[in-house]
């Protein structure tokens, strides 16, 4: 019994260390190309995200993105702006507004950080799915390492788009379906 308890804790520690390494490594990659190179999918998703604030900003655009992805993205972006700009940099709300207005690549940077955060949570849900299926630790640890180092996850986690939100919604549905 005690061995299973220790093994379970080492299991969780491994997954959390893997997610932390993934987050730190990919966080160093999310500022690539800014401010000069922006993906077209990012521009569409940025307009969708800003369109969810149409009550406050007056900017509304009909788009093809699902409603939950821009809304969740906006919530995470606003939390990152609150933590980084207001608490760490001690800027006022007017200074934050002018900083983002004159540097629109900051909004894309925070959006990429939000996609990275959601992708990190989806790695944890993938771990939960493997545990629910009772797959051996050695097998699913290899699968998690392969998944976190794949180019598909690199694209999902470093580009501000709906793909990271679609991934986590799919994994949550799969977890509850199993």
């Amino acid at each position: 019994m005690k061995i299973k308890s220790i093994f379970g804790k080492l299991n969780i520690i491994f997954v959390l260390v893997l997610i932390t390494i993934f987050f730190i490594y990919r966080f160093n990659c999310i500022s690539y190309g800014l401010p000069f190179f922006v993906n077209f999918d990012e521009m569409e998703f940025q307009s969708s995200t800003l369109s969810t604030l149409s009550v406050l900003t007056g900017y509304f655009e009909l788009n093809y993105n699902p409603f939950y992805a821009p809304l969740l993205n906006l919530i995470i972006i606003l939390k990152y702006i609150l933590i980084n700009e207001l608490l760490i940099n001690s800027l006022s709300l007017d200074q934050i507004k002018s900083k983002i207005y004159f540097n629109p690549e900051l909004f894309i940077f925070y959006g990429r950080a939000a996609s990275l955060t959601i992708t990190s949570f989806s790695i944890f849900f993938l771990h939960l799915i493997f545990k629910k299926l009772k797959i051996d630790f050695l097998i699913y640890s290899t699968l998690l390492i392969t998944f976190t180092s794949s180019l598909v996850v690199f694209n999902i986690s470093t580009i501000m788009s709906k793909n990271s939100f679609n991934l986590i919604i799919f994994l949550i549905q799969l977890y509850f379906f199993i």
Side-chain angles (χ1 to χ4, degrees), residues 8-52:
K9 289 180 183 176
L10 287 177
N11 209 355
I12 293 292
I13 290 172
F14 168 75
V15 172
L16 292 178
V17 166
L18 182 68
I19 290 172
T20 305
I21 290 171
F22 170 77
F23 188 84
I24 291 170
Y25 181 71
R26 297 294 187 209
F27 190 76
N28 293 331
C29 300
I30 63 173
S31 64
Y32 76 95
L34 290 178
F36 303 112
F37 174 71
V38 178
N39 193 341
F40 288 116
D41 194 29
E42 285 180 326
M43 296 308 293
E44 288 293 323
F45 194 65
Q46 179 183 6
S47 64
S48 299
T49 303
L50 291 174
S51 184
T52 58

Side-chain angles (χ1 to χ4, degrees), residues 74-136:
L74 182 68
I75 291 170
I76 295 172
I77 287 172
L78 291 177
K79 283 186 181 188
Y80 277 141
I81 288 173
L82 175 78
I83 290 170
N84 190 30
E85 303 297 336
L86 194 67
L87 298 177
I88 295 175
N89 293 338
S90 301
L91 298 176
S92 69
L93 291 177
D94 290 333
Q95 290 173 335
I96 293 172
K97 185 175 143 183
S98 65
K99 183 177 181 180
I100 291 177
Y101 180 76
F102 289 118
N103 298 319
E105 72 270 1
L106 287 176
F107 192 78
I108 300 254
F109 178 79
Y110 287 126
R112 288 179 179 179
S115 291
L116 179 62
T117 303
I118 293 298
T119 307
S120 299
F121 282 125
S122 62
I123 291 169
F124 186 73
F125 274 104
L126 188 62
H127 159 71
L128 292 177
I129 289 170
F130 287 150
K131 281 194 71 148
K132 200 168 199 178
L133 291 174
K134 296 180 179 159
I135 297 176
D136 189 35

Side-chain angles (χ1 to χ4, degrees), residues 124-152:
F124 186 73
F125 274 104
L126 188 62
H127 159 71
L128 292 177
I129 289 170
F130 287 150
K131 281 194 71 148
K132 200 168 199 178
L133 291 174
K134 296 180 179 159
I135 297 176
D136 189 35
F137 172 72
L138 187 62
I139 293 171
Y140 83 77
S141 64
T142 307
L143 289 174
L144 282 176
I145 291 171
T146 305
F147 180 72
T148 57
S149 62
S150 69
L151 287 176
V152 173

